[in-house]
Amino acid sequence: MCGICGYAHADVQRAVNAAYLRAMNDTIRHRGPDSDGYYLQPGIALAMRRLSIIDVAGGDQPIYNEDGTLAVIFNGEIYNFPELRQKLLRLGHQFQTHSDTECIVHAYESWGEDCLSHLNGMFAFALWDSKNQRLLVARDRTGIKPLYYAQLHDTFYFASELKALLAHPELPRELDEYALDEYLTFEYVPAPRTILRHAKKLPPGHAISYHAGELRVWSYWDQQLERSERTPTNSSFDELAMQFRQVLKEAVRGEMLSDVPLGVFLSGGVDSSAVAALMAEINAGPVKSFSIAFEDESFNESHFAHQVASHLGTDHHELVLTSKKALEVIPRVGEYLDEPLADSSIVPTMLLCEFARRQVTVALGGDGGDEVLAGYSTLQAHRLMSVYKSVVPGPIRRLATAAVNTLPTSFNNISLDFKLKRFTVGHNLPLEVRHHTWLGSFDNHEKEAILQRHLLRHPDATYDVVKRHLEQTLAQHPLNRVLYLDMKMYLDGDILPKVDRASMSHSLEVRVPFLNYDVLCFLEQVPIDYKLQRLNTKALLRKAMEKDLPPEILARGKKGFNMPVARWLTSDLREWAHDLLSHDRLKKQGIFNPDGVQKLLREHMQQKRDARKQLWTLLMFQMWHERWFA
């Protein structure tokens, strides 16, 4: 696990600036505190920071092929590298290390750009081919590892984090107003945009070739959920569940490969519990497990984690999150988020990573399970909505919406009034818009109230990115199309960046077996009704693990890793929120309408509405803006 950065000139004879490269690399020191590495030649500058996981003594980078004509810097892990290494040895390649990184240069020697199809792992890497004066940059299939880039004038820049690009004096700091609109809607900036006008994110499953000033971006992999629609499976639900358990177990086994201490995040939900159960089955001794408890009981799930830990016999460790601890960590969130991200669960995730890092260097987690197995309550809501719209006439639905909006506001975790208000607001919207209205923050009407007029976009333009993704999938089932959107947007834009930044801020590697390539391939053939059986989410996983986990855990619904933002904003976080969203500060900044924001803040403080999502979205933007534009 590392951080990478660098740049390449169109003119391969042009000198590179070592000081600029070092400045870029220093910004990502937290990603790899163990060592650094540099490759500088006319026209090309590569750098990396290393967190040693595999071949601790011999895996320093850059790593080269036999004659030194290829050099690679790499962030991530290649889980199938033992098998890949043997295949490459049979093809005549000679290895100088035992690291997974070296497999990449030899795979490129044998298969060129098609080497990407041979890699099963989480990765972002840059490979310099000095013979052909070509730079290859690639990102893993689901975007577990980040990769930012920019092309300015005659130079191409790339890095694991946006802040490393900003360390180079050539990159302007200009806000992208279209990205701002998307951020306010989705709570993150979807790829390929970033919050900055001149920088982009490389989408998952994509690669870049840069040669003589020409930039080529292409997709080398995409999720094919239409497989489950075109070729009906011959296996029964029970048979598929047992097959899936074996595939997931082998993925967990492969991702437990490590030369340093390893553990598991255990929330007590079915995803993390399944990973922990399979680790316990594979591991010779007790697995170290880590969880967060909340002082607010409506958010606290620690008793479920205790139950699973006791059932599996893990060596369990728990940290209690109080509002005081949250206040201590929130300023650090702004330091490590070089793009605004409005998922409040990054706070407990950062604390969990810091807590786990005291004992382990690698942790497995259950992230990705909801996206690949239909675990989100929004999937249930879409299924219910189709019945609701077919049974309940439009005028009655409108009356129901008005009635629901009169319900008293509760600040409890996913309270009934919160769910009903979210559900009824989407009854008249197209599926893809409804989905992101449920998941996101500001709708178009709300943006009109809080944004300066010159920053408002046409309402339809907000969902252009959603429409582009839907044009790429061949899946026809509405819920398969929703799963595809979640993979391309919510997983890549929110869940994975949150985990990456939180873990890397403490030099902890987090692995996610549910996004293993073998798991993805298997689940592409599984019908949507085996994932969401009526309203039973993740049905296939629950069946697969029925002999491994307590019935109470298998029966649990999705709750999420949230913290009591709504209540804390009216108490411990009140002064902080009022300061960042003060009328004078907003007026000077010139982005938001101070009166509209103040009205939103006042209504929440008086508990006239639950504006936790909108306020947190604004607060995270303000923290980011203060850090990078002040």
Side-chain angles (χ1 to χ4, degrees):
M1 181 62 65
C2 309
I4 63 174
C5 61
Y7 61 94
H9 296 308
D11 179 2
V12 294
Q13 300 304 316
R14 180 180 167 188
V16 296
N17 189 311
Y20 289 168
L21 183 65
R22 188 168 295 278
M24 294 172 71
N25 207 29
D26 284 347
T27 65
I28 53 174
R29 181 180 297 271
H30 53 279
R31 298 187 72 92
D34 296 332
S35 65
D36 59 7
Y38 293 87
Y39 178 91
L40 294 104
Q41 296 293 331
I44 183 70
L46 306 176
M48 57 77 62
R49 297 289 320 182
R50 186 182 182 212
L51 176 63
S52 304
I53 303 292
I54 303 293
D55 191 9
V56 174
D60 284 344
Q61 303 173 24
I63 282 183
Y64 305 89
N65 64 335
E66 294 89 341
D67 62 6
T69 57
L70 300 177
V72 70
I73 53 174
F74 168 61
N75 169 27
E77 303 292 343
I78 305 299
Y79 301 125
N80 67 329
F81 93 89
E83 300 87 354
L84 188 56
R85 178 188 174 96
Q86 292 305 311
K87 183 185 293 186
L88 291 164
L89 285 169
R90 289 194 295 271
L91 290 173
H93 293 282
Q94 297 177 358
F95 283 74
Q96 303 302 314
T97 75
H98 296 284
S99 74
D100 55 341
T101 308
E102 191 173 0
C103 285
I104 298 173
V105 290
H106 297 309
Y108 179 83
E109 280 184 297
S110 286
W111 303 301
E113 293 175 351
D114 190 49
C115 68
L116 295 166
S117 67
H118 294 262
L119 305 179
N120 181 357
M122 57 177 188
F123 57 82
F125 70 79
L127 184 149
W128 175 246
D129 180 345
S130 61
K131 283 183 179 178
N132 296 299
Q133 302 289 288
R134 178 179 285 107
L135 180 67
L136 173 66
V137 176
R139 190 177 179 209
D140 65 67
R141 292 171 179 84
T142 57
I144 304 168
K145 293 291 99 186
L147 204 290
Y148 293 82
Y149 72 96
Q151 186 179 20
L152 293 169
H153 310 303
D154 59 351
T155 302
F156 169 74
Y157 307 86
F158 69 90
S160 293
E161 297 184 16
L162 189 56
K163 63 172 66 71
L165 294 184
L166 290 172
H168 197 290
E170 293 290 327
L171 191 76
R173 299 190 184 193
E174 297 178 14
L175 180 70
D176 185 334
E177 59 203 51
Y178 297 105
L180 171 62
D181 176 81
E182 291 178 345
Y183 167 71
L184 293 173
T185 300
F186 302 116
E187 301 183 354
Y188 55 87
V189 180
R193 290 192 198 279
T194 72
I195 196 67
L196 299 180
R197 182 173 296 141
H198 298 284
K200 293 183 178 181
K201 289 190 279 282
L202 183 64
H206 279 64
I208 291 174
S209 174
Y210 186 74
H211 173 65
E214 292 295 321
L215 182 72
R216 179 170 63 95
V217 182
W218 77 96
S219 171
Y220 68 87
W221 181 85
D222 198 8
Q223 190 180 36
Q224 299 177 32
L225 292 175
E226 67 273 10
R227 287 181 59 201
S228 66
E229 300 170 2
R230 291 179 172 177
T231 310
T233 179
N234 293 320
S235 300
S236 69
F237 175 70
D238 288 1
E239 290 170 337
L240 274 179
M242 292 305 99
Q243 293 169 24
F244 174 60
R245 186 189 185 282
Q246 187 60 32
V247 171
L248 183 61
K249 179 181 176 181
E250 291 309 309
V252 169
R253 187 194 305 278
E255 299 197 16
M256 288 176 69
L257 185 64
S258 173
D259 294 334
V260 294
L262 176 144
V264 63
F265 290 158
L266 181 59
S267 68
V270 67
D271 297 334
S272 64
S273 298
V275 172
L278 294 171
M279 288 178 72
E281 183 176 320
I282 294 164
N283 206 52
V287 174
K288 289 183 178 294
S289 58
F290 303 89
S291 69
I292 287 277
F294 291 89
E295 59 180 350
D296 187 319
E297 278 305 313
S298 77
F299 288 79
N300 189 28
E301 299 183 293
S302 61
H303 55 287
F304 293 114
H306 292 163
Q307 184 180 6
V308 176
S310 176
H311 181 80
L312 299 176
T314 68
D315 177 12
H316 192 60
H317 307 267
E318 178 185 277
L319 177 71
V320 178
L321 176 59
T322 63
S323 56
K324 181 181 178 182
K325 280 192 175 75
L327 276 168
E328 291 171 356
V329 81
I330 284 172
R332 289 154 53 196
V333 172
E335 179 64 29
Y336 288 106
L337 283 183
D338 41 22
E339 275 198 289
L341 176 65
D343 187 338
S344 65
S345 67
I346 192 170
V347 174
T349 304
M350 284 187 73
L351 283 165
L352 178 62
C353 290
E354 180 181 36
F355 181 57
R357 186 61 176 90
R358 298 171 192 169
Q359 299 196 46
V360 299
T361 311
V362 177
L364 273 64
D367 293 294
D370 289 312
E371 288 78 8
V372 298
L373 284 157
Y376 288 121
S377 57
T378 47
L379 275 294
Q380 297 169 311
H382 284 303
R383 186 157 274 179
L384 284 171
M385 182 61 78
S386 64
V387 176
Y388 181 64
K389 291 178 71 172
S390 65
V391 172
V392 181
I396 304 299
R397 294 201 303 270
R398 287 190 289 273
L399 286 173
T401 300
V404 164
N405 286 332
T406 65
L407 291 173
T409 297
S410 168
F411 286 165
N412 287 336
N413 188 23
I414 316 179
S415 58
L416 178 62
D417 68 288
F418 179 85
K419 288 188 286 188
L420 288 175
K421 288 171 183 176
R422 283 266 153 179
F423 180 79
T424 55
V425 77
H427 76 92
N428 241 359
L429 299 172
L431 181 140
E432 66 273 12
V433 177
R434 179 202 315 149
H435 184 65
H436 290 98
T437 300
W438 285 344
L439 283 174
S441 188
F442 289 90
D443 62 27
N444 286 321
H445 177 70
E446 290 171 326
K447 280 186 290 187
E448 289 178 5
I450 59 100
L451 265 179
Q452 294 285 353
R453 304 301 300 176
H454 69 280
L455 293 173
L456 288 171
R457 295 177 71 192
H458 189 282
D460 292 341
T462 297
Y463 297 98
D464 285 349
V465 61
V466 179
K467 295 169 186 173
R468 286 198 299 271
H469 283 304
L470 288 178
E471 288 169 358
Q472 295 301 311
T473 181
L474 298 176
Q476 297 301 308
H477 193 292
L479 295 187
N480 269 337
R481 292 168 71 81
V482 168
L483 286 182
Y484 184 85
L485 283 177
D486 280 347
M487 286 285 287
K488 294 296 180 180
M489 294 187 63
Y490 188 54
L491 182 70
D492 175 55
D494 183 316
I495 301 300
L496 293 177
K498 174 192 70 178
V499 174
D500 176 80
R501 298 307 189 279
S503 59
M504 285 287 90
S505 69
H506 299 292
S507 305
L508 176 76
E509 175 173 300
V510 175
R511 300 175 179 175
V512 283
F514 282 106
L515 299 180
N516 187 284
Y517 182 43
D518 292 336
V519 173
L520 294 174
C521 288
F522 180 86
L523 289 176
E524 282 181 346
Q525 68 177 320
V526 175
I528 183 65
D529 289 333
Y530 283 7
K531 299 173 184 177
L532 181 66
Q533 280 191 329
R534 296 182 178 87
L535 297 180
N536 181 29
T537 59
K538 289 183 281 201
L540 189 76
L541 178 63
R542 297 178 199 277
K543 182 65 178 179
M545 304 303 297
E546 67 178 358
K547 295 180 181 178
D548 303 278
L549 296 171
E552 298 89 344
I553 301 301
L554 291 169
R556 290 195 61 204
K558 177 71 179 175
K559 195 166 186 180
F561 195 34
N562 303 308
M563 66 177 193
V565 169
R567 192 168 287 116
W568 286 356
L569 285 174
T570 65
S571 54
D572 300 68
L573 300 181
R574 185 186 184 100
E575 184 178 343
W576 169 73
H578 277 279
D579 179 49
L580 280 178
L581 299 178
S582 71
H583 190 283
D584 291 345
R585 188 190 292 265
L586 294 175
K587 184 176 180 181
K588 180 181 178 182
Q589 186 184 48
I591 295 173
F592 300 109
N593 173 11
D595 292 335
V597 173
Q598 288 290 305
K599 181 174 183 289
L600 185 69
L601 188 61
R602 186 168 55 252
E603 288 176 347
H604 182 85
M605 296 301 173
Q606 295 171 355
Q607 207 164 335
K608 291 181 178 178
R609 66 175 292 189
D610 181 355
R612 71 181 91 179
K613 288 174 76 66
Q614 292 86 350
L615 289 173
W616 193 261
T617 299
L618 292 173
L619 289 163
M620 289 299 101
F621 179 86
Q622 291 297 93
M623 284 186 63
W624 171 82
H625 196 270
E626 289 283 311
R627 171 65 179 84
W628 297 105
F629 278 79

